């Protein structure tokens, strides 16, 4: 399996997880120059911009550690673009999901709501 196939598998699993928990998937792999959001989902109150990281059980860097300040800034910039092009009344929120895949099956998912915010970045929603 290629890295992109593993990443897509992780995103598919997180989409199923979100739907099971009452979310509606609005968009996937929303891209602008320099940024991408893996999943955009609504839960009635929030518009969740979800970054998914799929890792092997023995990875040296966790999925959460891979989302550094630069990556957060790109996600926020992309979310601001999405909100400008797709106006809505939902409160934006930035979530992260770490999926552990052992090469055969998904072992676990760890989902963090409101994992980071726009503090320190020049974007206002």
């Amino acid at each position: 399996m290629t890295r992109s196939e593993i990443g897509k598998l992780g995103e598919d699993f997180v989409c199923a997880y979100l739907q099971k928990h009452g979310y509606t998937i609005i968009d996937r792999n929303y891209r602008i120059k320099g940024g991408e959001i893996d999943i955009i989902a609504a839960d009635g109150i929030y518009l969740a911009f979800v970054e998914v990281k799929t890792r092997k059980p023995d990875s040296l860097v966790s999925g959460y550690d891979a989302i550094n300040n630069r990556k957060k800034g790109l996600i926020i910039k992309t979310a601001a673009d999405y909100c400008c092009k797709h106006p809505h009344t939902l409160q934006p929120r930035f979530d992260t999901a770490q999926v552990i895949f052992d090469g055969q099956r998904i072992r676990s998912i760890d989902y963090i709501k409101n994992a980071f915010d726009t503090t320190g970045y020049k974007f206002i929603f």
Side-chain angles (χ1 to χ4, degrees):
M1 238 179 186
T2 67
R3 285 178 52 172
S4 63
E5 290 171 332
I6 292 169
K8 184 180 180 325
L9 181 70
E11 290 174 15
D12 290 345
F13 188 78
V14 172
C15 282
Y17 171 88
L18 290 170
Q19 289 172 323
K20 180 180 173 187
H21 288 86
Y23 288 75
T24 301
I25 305 302
I26 305 297
D27 206 345
R28 289 184 64 177
N29 305 113
Y30 181 79
R31 289 184 171 94
I32 63 169
K33 185 175 181 176
E36 178 192 9
I37 296 174
D38 296 326
I39 301 167
I40 302 171
D43 75 349
I45 300 170
Y46 295 100
L47 187 64
F49 297 97
V50 184
E51 177 66 12
V52 179
K53 293 295 184 187
T54 304
R55 296 287 187 256
K56 294 178 183 176
D58 58 351
S59 263
L60 295 177
V61 178
S62 78
Y64 300 121
D65 291 337
I67 306 171
N68 58 25
N69 287 336
R70 180 181 173 282
K71 179 69 173 171
K72 289 176 188 174
L74 294 173
I75 293 168
I76 291 166
K77 175 184 170 186
T78 307
D81 179 84
Y82 181 87
C83 289
C84 286
K85 291 178 180 169
H86 304 90
H88 58 83
T89 59
L90 300 176
Q91 176 68 37
R93 186 180 76 200
F94 299 95
D95 298 355
T96 59
Q98 176 178 262
V99 178
I100 304 299
F101 177 66
D102 67 9
Q104 301 294 319
R105 64 181 178 88
I106 301 290
R107 283 194 170 179
S108 67
I109 179 173
D110 187 20
Y111 191 86
I112 299 177
K113 293 179 181 179
N114 203 28
F116 61 92
D117 60 26
T118 61
T119 302
Y121 298 92
K122 296 177 181 167
F123 292 95
I124 299 173
F125 288 85

